[in-house]
Amino acid sequence: FLSGTEDNFLVMGRSCGDQKVLIVCNFEQPQTIQTGVEGKQLLLSNYEDRAALNGEYRPFEIVVYAL
């Protein structure tokens, strides 16, 4: 895990063989979460209009990036 237990979000890296992903889960209010994923491919999001990789996450937003 890349986030602390007191945070209102979870950032987690996972890998399988040579494939690596970063999972970001925002649990509550809108907030900025610095992940360093600029330029990475967005694989999955629970919001259809997720376009920017600017670190702004909406309530209950979950995204998966290829690393």
Side-chain angles (χ1 to χ4, degrees):
F1 294 100
L2 306 174
S3 56
T5 56
E6 69 283 348
D7 298 324
N8 290 324
F9 62 89
L10 172 73
V11 179
M12 178 175 58
R14 305 295 294 169
S15 64
C16 181
D18 62 346
Q19 296 180 340
K20 297 179 183 177
V21 297
L22 184 74
I23 303 162
V24 181
C25 305
N26 184 30
F27 298 125
E28 293 185 16
Q29 71 278 357
Q31 63 182 321
T32 300
I33 303 171
Q34 299 301 324
T35 59
V37 296
E38 294 78 17
K40 303 299 182 187
Q41 179 185 5
L42 177 65
L43 297 176
L44 183 65
S45 174
N46 64 327
Y47 282 94
E48 290 182 11
D49 59 347
R50 179 76 182 167
L53 299 177
N54 61 3
E56 295 294 323
Y57 292 87
R58 292 173 274 192
F60 308 105
E61 185 169 11
I62 300 171
V63 295
V64 179
Y65 298 102
L67 297 179

